[in-house]
Amino acid sequence: MSFSGEVKDELSHQMSSARHCKIAEIAAIISLCGRILISVEDHYTIQIHTETIAVARKYFTLLKGTFQIAAEVSVRQNSYLKKNKTYTITVQDHESALWILKATKLMNSQGEIQEDLSIQSNLVVQQICCKRAFIRGAFLAAGSLSAPEKFYHFEIVCVSLSKAEQLRAIIKTFEIEAKIILRKRYYVLYVKEGSQIVDILNVMEAHQALMELENVRILKEMRNSVNRKVNCETANISKTVSAAVKQMEDIRYIKDMAGFSGLTNGLEEIAQLRLEHPDATLKELGSMIDPPVGKSGVNHRLRKLSEIAQQIREQRGDTKDIAK
């Protein structure tokens, strides 16, 4: 099962005790993956279609527990993708359908239903607990979550911009900034930041998934921290090696072209030590001198040798080495 499927399975067992929260969750599920059928005799039927058995089970349980309605459940095998099944939950009874639509505020007081099936009253999501339930229902109906080992991506697909904006406003009350993009003919509300996805899992009360994602985040951060340190140390080693190679080139150039006789005792000593210990650090070279010299003192002497080598090159017109 995918991580998204695991989250939905966990949420399908998350049942609110308050009736108003159950109504909010039902409203979200119908709004995001439901449709209303109206016959010529004005007979109302509610249907939801989902490929996730957890969503079908949750919706059926919510209807039965909230409205004491036993909906009809049917399963259809997709002829093109034989592994996929579509679950349809239907409320066939006209009065029961009207009762649900009015309770969820998907139908207004004049008996009108908007084309995109958006809730028409903030009463359904007035309380914080109901907002949580609505977001949970929306994710169950049309949401997905990538495996955190790969990347962080949470999304809910909406059929209209107004519905996506309505859902974004509800999510924003929890200080979570979701964005909306148009993908083909759907409006996708998404969150990409890992910490914000943790927050939204907490809002939906998917605590098991939250812990799993947090563990992955910690491991990723530790790995990234180690990689940064290794890269930093590698860069420092590379700089040290490059500097040592350049120092030895300059010292050998001085020795071959002018010899060490013209150097001061301090410069000659550090020149000999560098040639004898090409891999030694500045600190290690300094400790070999009597009396010992600090890193800055060693560095000063080596820079002086490089300047002397440069002067000899210029005097000899050794332009090739100057270019280096």
Side-chain angles (χ1 to χ4, degrees):
M1 186 184 292
S2 66
F3 183 65
S4 187
E6 289 175 7
V7 176
K8 289 190 177 186
D9 187 64
E10 181 182 353
L11 293 177
S12 71
H13 294 93
Q14 181 63 254
M15 197 65 66
S16 303
S17 56
R19 186 173 188 273
H20 48 79
C21 292
K22 292 176 182 176
I23 288 173
E25 194 163 350
I26 291 169
I29 293 173
I30 296 175
S31 177
L32 272 295
C33 68
R35 63 175 180 169
I36 311 301
L37 305 177
I38 307 173
S39 69
V40 290
E41 295 85 12
D42 279 344
H43 181 282
Y44 283 71
T45 300
I46 301 174
Q47 283 187 343
I48 73 147
H49 302 276
T50 178
E51 293 182 354
T52 309
I53 190 170
V55 178
R57 181 175 60 239
K58 180 70 177 284
Y59 182 61
F60 181 87
T61 306
L62 282 169
L63 287 178
K64 191 172 182 180
T66 310
F67 298 102
Q68 290 75 52
I69 295 170
E72 298 173 12
V73 181
S74 60
V75 183
R76 188 181 67 183
Q77 186 82 46
N78 192 316
S79 57
Y80 295 101
L81 301 170
K82 293 185 179 180
K83 291 182 180 179
N84 286 19
K85 292 180 180 178
T86 302
Y87 301 88
T88 302
I89 296 89
T90 306
V91 177
Q92 193 74 42
D93 181 69
H94 173 72
E95 294 301 327
S96 297
L98 288 180
W99 184 18
I100 294 167
L101 292 172
K102 288 175 182 177
T104 55
K105 304 302 179 187
L106 293 168
M107 175 184 282
N108 63 22
S109 56
Q110 286 77 43
E112 298 171 338
I113 301 173
Q114 290 186 2
E115 277 189 33
D116 64 356
L117 264 182
S118 295
I119 55 170
Q120 301 187 34
S121 171
N122 288 332
L123 289 172
V124 173
V125 288
Q126 190 171 27
Q127 300 184 61
I128 291 296
C129 57
C130 293
K131 288 182 171 71
R132 289 178 182 273
F134 190 87
I135 296 167
R136 182 166 59 241
F139 178 76
L140 278 168
S144 63
L145 183 58
S146 65
E149 294 85 0
K150 297 178 181 178
F151 53 90
Y152 302 126
H153 185 83
F154 171 99
E155 72 174 39
I156 298 175
V157 179
C158 304
V159 295
S160 68
L161 180 60
S162 61
K163 187 176 294 190
E165 288 176 339
Q166 185 181 57
L167 183 56
R168 178 168 62 179
I170 295 169
I171 291 173
K172 193 173 182 179
T173 60
F174 295 96
E175 298 183 358
I176 299 170
E177 294 293 336
K179 296 181 179 179
I180 299 171
I181 57 167
L182 180 62
R183 186 188 297 160
K184 296 182 179 178
R185 59 190 182 90
Y186 295 101
Y187 292 87
V188 181
L189 177 145
Y190 69 93
V191 177
K192 280 190 174 292
E193 190 180 333
S195 60
Q196 295 256 291
I197 295 174
V198 167
D199 290 341
I200 206 164
L201 286 173
N202 187 47
V203 166
M204 297 190 299
E205 299 177 285
H207 302 304
Q208 188 175 328
L210 184 154
M211 291 303 297
E212 187 175 340
L213 192 146
E214 278 286 51
N215 287 337
V216 172
R217 284 184 70 219
I218 291 168
L219 287 173
K220 275 187 174 182
E221 286 173 9
M222 287 176 63
R223 194 180 297 118
N224 290 339
S225 177
V226 169
N227 287 340
R228 282 193 295 271
K229 288 179 180 178
V230 169
N231 290 339
C232 184
E233 288 174 5
T234 302
N236 289 337
I237 291 170
S238 178
K239 287 179 182 177
T240 302
V241 170
S242 297
V245 169
K246 179 66 167 61
Q247 291 159 8
M248 291 185 66
E249 285 177 355
D250 289 338
I251 291 167
R252 288 198 184 101
Y253 189 83
I254 294 171
K255 186 178 181 180
D256 293 343
M257 299 301 156
F260 291 160
S261 58
L263 300 177
T264 64
N265 291 338
L267 291 180
E268 183 179 357
E269 184 178 20
I270 199 67
Q272 292 286 6
L273 285 172
R274 173 47 87 195
L275 290 175
E276 293 168 8
H277 306 279
D279 298 328
T281 64
L282 297 182
K283 185 177 180 180
E284 289 168 344
L285 288 175
S287 66
M288 298 174 192
I289 299 172
D290 187 23
V293 176
K295 286 172 62 178
S296 60
V298 173
N299 192 42
H300 173 74
R301 294 184 188 186
L302 290 170
R303 275 207 312 269
K304 187 65 179 175
L305 288 170
S306 292
E307 290 172 5
I308 292 170
Q310 185 66 17
Q311 290 170 5
I312 295 172
R313 289 188 182 100
E314 290 174 357
Q315 290 169 4
R316 291 175 57 82
D318 200 343
T319 55
K320 184 178 180 182
D321 285 335
I322 293 173
K324 286 183 180 179

